[in-house]
C-alpha cells in the first residue's frame, strides 16, 4: 500500500463528465494508456485543458486505496484547433476510439503514441482527412497486431482472393464471393497498407468512390477482431450501393 505522485504527458482520447462534476479522462501517453479523474474538474480551470485531443502534461496522484489516479494539475502542451471542424472531428474521434480499443492501460508503446499523434496531426492539417484516417486506422491496427489476411480466401483458403468478405472484412475468392471483386487500386491498398510507409500511402490516395467499401471492410474487421467502436455510426460512409 503506497501512494505516489507522477508526471505524465499524453493526448486525451476519451473524456467523460460525471453527474458530480468530475472529469474522467483517458490519455494515450508514450508509456501507455492512462485513466485519471479530475474531481470537481468541470467547475475549474482543468475543464478547458482536459479536452478531447489536447496534448496535456498532468501531475497525477495514485492513492493507496482508490484505483483511479487523480489529476492534481494539468497544463496544455499542444492543441489542434482545426480538429473542431466537423469534417475533421469525426475522423479524429474515430482514431481516438480506435486507440482506446487497441491499447491497454500500462502497456508501454512509444511507437503507438507517435503513430497516433501523427495521425491526429494529419487529420488536423491534411486536405484529405478521410484518407489520413483510413490509412492510419490500418496502421494502428497493424501495430497492435491485427492485420487482415489478404493472401488467402478467408473462407476456403484459396490463393489470391480479390473479392470483399462482407462478414469478416478480409478477402474472399471468386467462388466464395457474393460481391463483385475490388478494383485493383483497392486490392493493392488492402494487401500493402500495413507494411507500406505512411508517406507512400499518403502519396497515393484512392479515389473517393473506392473508399466506402474499404471503410466497410475495416468496420467488419474491427468488429470481429476487437469489438464495436462507437464512432462508426456517425462516420463511416453509409452508401449502400456497393453492399447491395
Ligand atoms: Zn474461397
Amino acid at each position: 500500500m503506497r501512494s505516489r505522485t507522477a508526471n505524465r504527458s499524453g493526448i486525451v482520447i476519451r473524456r467523460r463528465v460525471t453527474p458530480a462534476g468530475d472529469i474522467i479522462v483517458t490519455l494515450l501517453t508514450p508509456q501507455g494508456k492512462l485513466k485519471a479523474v479530475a474531481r470537481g474538474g468541470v467547475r475549474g480551470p482543468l475543464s478547458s485543458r482536459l479536452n478531447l485531443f489536447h496534448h496535456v502534461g498532468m501531475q497525477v496522484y495514485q492513492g493507496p486505496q482508490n484505483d483511479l489516479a487523480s489529476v492534481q494539475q494539468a497544463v496544455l502542451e499542444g492543441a489542434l484547433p482545426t480538429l473542431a471542424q466537423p469534417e475533421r472531428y469525426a475522423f479524429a474521434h474515430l482514431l481516438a476510439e480506435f486507440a482506446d480499443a487497441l491499447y491497454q492501460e500500462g502497456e508501454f508503446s512509444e511507437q503507438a503514441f507517435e503513430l497516433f499523434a501523427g495521425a491526429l496531426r494529419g487529420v488536423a492539417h491534411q486536405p484529405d482527412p478521410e484518407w489520413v484516417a483510413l490509412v492510419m486506422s490500418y496502421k494502428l491496427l497493424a501495430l497492435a497486431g491485427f492485420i487482415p489476411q489478404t493472401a488467402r480466401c478467408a473462407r476456403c483458403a484459396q490463393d489470391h482472393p480479390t473479392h470483399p468478405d462482407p462478414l469478416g472484412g478480409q478477402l474472399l475468392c471468386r467462388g466464395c464471393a457474393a460481391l463483385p471483386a475490388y478494383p485493383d487500386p483497392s486490392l493493392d491498398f488492402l494487401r500493402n497498407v500495413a507494411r507500406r510507409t505512411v508517406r507512400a500511402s499518403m502519396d497515393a490516395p484512392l479515389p473517393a468512390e473506392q473508399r466506402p467499401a474499404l471503410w466497410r471492410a475495416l468496420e467488419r474487421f474491427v468488429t470481429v477482431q476487437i469489438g464495436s467502436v462507437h464512432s462508426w455510426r456517425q462516420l463511416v460512409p453509409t452508401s449502400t450501393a456497393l453492399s447491395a
Side-chain angles (χ1 to χ4, degrees), residues 4-221:
R4 61 195 174 94
T5 300
N7 292 307
R8 300 286 292 275
S9 171
I11 297 171
V12 180
I13 58 173
R14 182 177 286 270
R15 179 191 201 269
R16 187 166 73 80
V17 176
T18 70
D22 299 341
I23 304 173
I24 297 175
V25 285
T26 303
L27 266 68
L28 190 66
T29 83
Q31 294 80 37
K33 206 166 76 170
L34 169 74
K35 194 172 175 184
V37 57
R39 303 211 181 275
V42 81
R43 288 177 295 276
L46 291 183
S47 182
S48 60
R49 289 173 208 159
L50 296 178
N51 263 341
L52 213 49
F53 315 135
H54 276 178
H55 192 163
V56 291
M58 298 196 313
Q59 188 181 72
V60 293
Y61 172 75
Q62 182 75 62
Q65 312 275 319
N66 50 343
D67 53 355
L68 200 55
S70 79
V71 181
Q72 307 293 292
Q73 294 177 40
V75 292
L76 186 60
E77 294 183 344
L80 297 164
T82 52
L83 289 182
Q85 296 166 5
E87 73 276 17
R88 299 184 190 274
Y89 184 85
F91 293 119
H93 200 186
L94 179 75
L95 288 167
E97 286 212 7
F98 242 43
D100 195 21
L102 286 172
Y103 305 109
Q104 304 310 309
E105 270 172 74
E107 191 180 24
F108 185 96
S109 184
E110 194 160 354
Q111 218 182 343
F113 176 77
E114 294 301 332
L115 192 62
F116 177 74
L120 272 194
R121 283 194 300 273
V123 167
H125 300 305
Q126 296 293 321
D128 187 353
E130 181 191 24
W131 184 242
V132 176
L134 195 53
V135 170
M136 297 310 272
S137 295
Y138 275 101
K139 294 296 277 186
L140 285 166
L141 275 171
L143 186 61
F146 298 96
I147 299 177
Q149 164 69 262
T150 57
R152 294 176 193 287
C153 171
R155 203 165 294 163
C156 75
Q158 186 175 313
D159 288 344
H160 306 303
T162 53
H163 295 248
D165 162 17
L167 291 181
Q170 303 195 75
L171 288 173
L172 297 179
C173 71
R174 183 204 292 255
C176 291
L179 298 173
Y182 279 113
D184 286 341
S186 290
L187 274 176
D188 175 69
F189 174 83
L190 289 168
R191 286 170 179 157
N192 298 305
V193 65
R195 62 169 172 268
R196 196 173 271 161
T197 65
V198 169
R199 178 169 295 273
S201 292
M202 286 301 145
D203 288 345
L206 288 181
E209 68 272 15
Q210 291 187 27
R211 297 181 191 177
L214 296 175
W215 279 116
R216 268 196 301 281
L218 183 63
E219 178 183 19
R220 291 314 306 160
F221 183 71

